[in-house]
Amino acid sequence: MSLVTTEDRGAVRIVIYANPPFGTMTAAGSNEMYDIVVSALADAGVRTIVITGGLPGIFIRHYDVGELSVMSDALADLAPPPPRRDPGPRTPGFLDLTDLIAAADKPVIAAINGLCMGGGFELSLACDLRIAGEDVTAIGLPETRIGIFPGGGGTQRLPRLIGEAKALEMILRGLTVDGPGAHELGIVHEVVADPLARALEIAAELTTRGAEGLAFAKRLTRAALDRPLAEGLADERQSFLAVMRTSSAREALRASRAPVEIQQA
């Protein structure tokens, strides 16, 4: 049974995760979603990706604790393997999936339509925009409650969103917040009655923008806090000249010689 399905709405590809009855992320689910996102990124007809949950009241509940327990026992029982010069091909896992989403050259939006915990929350943190439902009851990183800590990017991406102090409080105490609480902290960008419908509205808006301009903007903004200002500015200036050479930018500029319409944040 497939754990991930897709649906196209024009130039938007909806990626729907479901693992009944609990909606947990698994190795199999990670691999399926990885392949689906790779396919969407390679498809020129897809301009934006929206990820949402396929079970009522669940985005992604968390990473499967049973799988983590098996991994823990295996690591404890086996000596570390010697390093290999050529590890050969391997199956991509959850960490590869989150890195792929974060580095994607197309916008990725999380439509958080229910429980969004642990690995599910970490996957949403890798997305560019997060839209949560008003009725979402729990968003957070509860890993310290079971003796571990967020290992899918949570300790790195959450502080970049809400600051070190709040991130430490959430992570150390394993706290969760509801949809409105997540918006108040700055974890999600909007809280609405129908997060998928709103995500599709934003995705449709983004499809009207030049693909190259969005790709450059995403890459530069994501790298901004990880390097010196002078290095970022130099990259921005070179990238600006590069995007100005693209046909999408030239066509948009010619069509927009009138003053740009103001859009409220």
Side-chain angles (χ1 to χ4, degrees):
M1 181 187 72
S2 177
L3 303 179
V4 188
T5 57
T6 65
E7 179 183 338
D8 286 353
R9 301 278 186 92
V12 181
R13 179 153 299 168
I14 308 172
V15 178
I16 306 160
Y17 185 82
N19 181 19
F22 301 116
T24 56
M25 177 60 73
T26 62
S30 300
N31 298 337
E32 276 192 46
M33 190 179 291
Y34 182 93
D35 290 342
I36 283 172
V37 173
V38 167
S39 176
L41 295 176
D43 188 337
V46 175
R47 294 289 310 280
T48 309
I49 300 169
V50 172
I51 300 176
T52 195
L55 298 178
I58 301 174
F59 174 70
I60 298 171
R61 186 183 292 270
H62 51 68
Y63 200 94
D64 186 89
V65 176
E67 287 192 7
L68 295 177
S69 179
V70 170
M71 179 191 299
S72 176
D73 290 340
L75 291 171
D77 293 341
L78 298 177
R84 296 172 57 187
R85 291 185 179 180
D86 181 14
R90 65 179 181 83
T91 302
F94 180 71
L95 302 182
D96 300 286
L97 172 62
T98 56
D99 288 347
L100 175 69
I101 290 170
D105 60 2
K106 299 178 182 181
V108 184
I109 305 173
I112 302 173
N113 58 329
L115 293 174
C116 180
M117 304 277 280
F121 182 33
E122 289 176 302
L123 185 142
S124 78
L125 290 174
C127 297
D128 303 306
L129 300 173
R130 285 163 295 282
I131 311 299
E134 296 171 347
D135 57 352
V136 173
T137 58
I139 298 173
L141 298 169
E143 285 88 343
T144 58
R145 301 183 197 174
I146 57 171
I148 56 175
F149 67 87
T155 66
Q156 303 304 300
R157 292 190 172 106
L158 186 59
R160 284 168 165 77
L161 283 182
I162 65 175
E164 179 185 299
K166 281 295 183 184
L168 275 171
E169 182 183 25
M170 286 194 71
I171 291 171
L172 294 180
R173 296 180 62 196
L175 300 179
T176 63
V177 293
D178 59 13
H183 184 250
E184 184 177 345
L185 285 173
I187 292 171
V188 302
H189 297 84
E190 295 184 23
V191 178
V192 297
D194 188 337
L196 177 57
R198 179 58 179 147
L200 289 172
E201 288 178 357
I202 296 172
E205 171 193 313
L206 293 175
T207 63
T208 68
R209 312 292 164 84
E212 294 88 354
L214 289 177
F216 275 114
K218 174 175 176 174
R219 180 182 65 78
L220 290 162
T221 304
R222 281 194 172 276
L225 299 181
D226 297 327
R227 57 184 176 177
L229 176 62
E231 182 181 331
L233 289 173
D235 190 0
E236 181 187 72
R237 290 162 188 171
Q238 291 179 347
S239 298
F240 187 79
L241 294 177
V243 79
M244 290 284 278
R245 296 187 183 98
T246 65
S247 59
S248 63
R250 290 158 57 204
E251 291 169 7
L253 288 168
R254 282 196 295 267
S256 304
R257 292 183 178 178
V260 176
E261 180 182 350
I262 297 174
Q263 186 168 1
Q264 297 293 334

